[in-house]
Amino acid sequence: PMANREKNKKTLLELAKLSQNCCCADCGATDPDWASCTLGIFVCLNCSGTHRNLPSVSRIKSIRLDFWDDELVQFMKSNGNRAAKNFYEKFVPVFYYQPQPDDCEVLREQWIRAKYERMEFAEKNRDRPYTADVYEGMLWKKGKDNGQFLERKFVLSVHDFTLKYYKEDGPKATISVKDLNATFQPEKIGHAHGLQITYCVENHTRNLFVYHKNGQVNLWNFVFFPTLFPRILIPWITRNYLKEGYMEKTGPLQREPFKKRWFILDSLDRKLLYFKTQLDAIELGVVFIGPENHGYSVRECVPKGTRGNKWKCGVIVETPDRQFVFMCEQERDQREWVEALKTIISKPMMPQDYTTEANIRRRR
């Protein structure tokens, strides 16, 4: 009867407003409008899509639009997000990254699959070896020269705080984990589980582009060892860049022709890096972005001789001893680059920034 339908809807909406249910059970987004009637949890729209891909585990219904019979409503009353958390997240390692509302789909998907499909954190799997001293996984890595992805073994070691990857004849690279940055790049790499690992070798930046076929070996958590990294360090090794994209640049004398390059703006290291393409392994150069009171500034411009050229929106970066001119194709890109650079210029220098600045100047 309609009256019973409305009563059950009202009950569900009231349950969703309770403090233990008012945020998504999986990513924490507020005001969830969906629920899993088999797990007894309230979830947001984005997470409900992942649950729909797990029909053997979870059945999703709208708490506003779908019909709920009395039995299912009583099941939701008896369970809820808090009860599910106590059961499915009982032994989540302190270092395991739990997705936020704005995180990419692969993080959300693997967190949900780990909890409900594989039940990795439930009582029955409490002895799962998340705290092993060495963690190994097979990833597909893009070759530096030929661009082909080949399967390679990656090993993370607590003993020497390193991430290593191997070719058939032995270790190819040893990376200090405190110096790396790992970000998901599915669009750039062309794979849903694509990851970009960036690190420094002799003051030069190097990129590794990798992916795992099904995402279960999740490098986002692959580098989070509780004995390795306090929570305060995690933003340093898993940070997204402030801005990325193509611009054109000229040489240091500003007499050379403009060439198209892929730029990455790293706000924590105060670096504007440029590469030949977005999937290049090694940077071509870098510009340090200091604060305004040290003689750094940025502004928009239209350089002479560029009118009529599609790359006509200029960005000028002034440093204490040099001027850099970059060209954007669209005014929107020009504004975004200027705003992003101003964000860094407005920040004061940290002690480690002076070392970064000195190392970059020594390279010239």
Side-chain angles (χ1 to χ4, degrees):
M2 183 60 68
N4 194 50
R5 180 188 181 110
E6 290 301 316
K7 183 191 76 170
N8 284 345
K9 177 181 176 180
K10 182 180 178 182
T11 300
L12 287 169
L13 291 174
E14 289 174 349
L15 287 173
K17 291 180 181 178
L18 296 177
S19 60
Q20 62 264 37
N21 298 324
C22 65
C23 293
C24 174
D26 296 319
C27 75
T30 57
D31 303 322
D33 276 340
W34 300 82
S36 170
C37 61
T38 52
L39 297 173
I41 58 174
F42 294 87
V43 296
C44 68
L45 175 63
N46 288 333
C47 290
S48 73
T50 301
H51 279 266
R52 291 184 191 279
N53 293 328
L54 307 176
S56 62
V57 176
S58 183
R59 182 185 170 201
I60 288 291
K61 293 170 70 75
S62 168
I63 63 175
R64 296 180 182 273
L65 304 176
D66 289 329
F67 172 77
W68 290 74
D69 59 33
D70 294 345
E71 184 179 353
L72 290 181
V73 172
Q74 185 58 46
F75 179 76
M76 296 300 297
K77 273 186 179 181
S78 302
N79 290 277
N81 291 5
R82 181 180 296 167
K85 183 180 181 69
N86 291 338
F87 181 79
Y88 292 104
E89 300 180 29
K90 190 171 185 179
F91 296 102
V92 177
V94 294
F95 59 90
Y96 198 99
Y97 185 84
Q98 300 178 32
Q100 305 302 306
D102 294 332
D103 280 333
C104 62
E105 182 180 351
V106 64
L107 277 175
R108 183 182 292 108
E109 178 190 353
Q110 289 308 312
W111 169 241
I112 291 172
R113 287 186 179 275
K115 280 204 297 183
Y116 308 117
E117 187 178 56
R118 302 193 293 268
M119 298 183 67
E120 293 183 8
F121 318 120
E123 175 74 37
K124 68 177 185 178
N125 286 322
R126 65 179 302 176
D127 296 326
R128 186 179 176 86
Y130 273 114
T131 55
D133 288 341
V134 176
Y135 194 97
E136 296 186 9
M138 300 299 293
L139 299 170
W140 289 80
K141 175 191 167 294
K142 179 181 177 292
K144 183 175 67 173
D145 299 320
N146 60 19
Q148 294 182 337
F149 280 87
L150 299 173
E151 197 171 31
R152 297 286 182 250
K153 182 175 76 171
F154 281 74
V155 177
L156 180 67
S157 172
V158 172
H159 299 301
D160 54 5
F161 301 164
T162 61
L163 175 66
K164 300 176 183 177
Y165 78 89
Y166 292 75
K167 295 181 71 172
E168 297 83 355
D169 54 353
K172 178 64 176 177
T174 300
I175 307 166
S176 174
V177 180
K178 68 179 179 63
D179 297 327
L180 67 75
N181 180 37
T183 58
F184 275 109
Q185 296 282 5
E187 293 184 4
K188 183 189 291 187
I189 295 173
H191 194 282
H193 306 126
L195 189 77
Q196 178 178 342
I197 302 171
T198 304
Y199 62 100
C200 282
V201 179
E202 297 178 350
N203 294 322
H204 285 73
T205 300
R206 172 77 192 273
N207 290 321
L208 299 179
F209 299 99
V210 300
Y211 70 84
H212 189 271
K213 284 190 173 180
N214 59 30
Q216 186 169 342
V217 178
N218 182 349
L219 262 184
W220 199 271
N221 292 303
F222 189 69
V223 298
F224 292 167
F225 273 64
T227 53
L228 262 178
F229 308 114
R231 279 285 180 183
I232 194 172
L233 288 183
I234 289 177
W236 286 88
I237 60 174
T238 58
R239 62 188 186 273
N240 290 320
Y241 296 115
L242 192 56
K243 184 166 175 60
E244 293 187 64
Y246 279 110
M247 290 193 291
E248 287 196 342
K249 71 173 293 293
T250 184
L253 300 178
Q254 299 183 19
R255 298 172 185 168
E256 299 85 352
F258 281 86
K259 295 181 180 180
K260 187 178 179 181
R261 297 289 183 253
W262 180 263
F263 285 81
I264 293 176
L265 185 57
D266 186 342
S267 61
L268 286 182
D269 281 343
R270 309 188 75 115
K271 291 179 180 180
L272 179 61
L273 302 148
Y274 57 92
F275 302 79
K276 189 173 182 180
T277 72
Q278 61 180 332
L279 291 177
D280 267 17
I282 301 175
E283 44 126 313
L284 295 177
V286 59
V287 180
F288 182 80
I289 308 297
E292 188 174 6
N293 61 357
H294 283 222
Y296 292 84
S297 64
V298 60
R299 68 179 189 275
E300 298 177 4
C301 73
V302 180
K304 296 179 181 179
T306 62
R307 298 185 187 277
N309 187 327
K310 69 174 184 176
W311 295 81
K312 63 182 180 180
C313 306
V315 176
I316 292 182
V317 176
E318 298 275 4
T319 73
D321 58 356
R322 190 173 294 187
Q323 182 187 82
F324 296 89
V325 180
F326 310 108
M327 302 298 297
C328 304
E329 187 173 0
Q330 303 290 335
E331 289 185 2
R332 184 185 67 179
D333 292 330
Q334 180 191 43
R335 289 194 301 269
E336 290 178 354
W337 277 110
V338 170
E339 289 172 4
L341 288 160
K342 283 183 176 178
T343 299
I344 300 177
I345 290 173
S346 67
K347 297 192 306 182
M349 293 270 278
M350 301 295 287
Q352 65 271 16
D353 295 332
Y354 292 94
T355 301
T356 302
E357 182 182 33
N359 288 337
I360 291 174
R361 285 186 174 180
R362 278 198 293 268
R363 286 173 47 179
R364 295 178 183 173

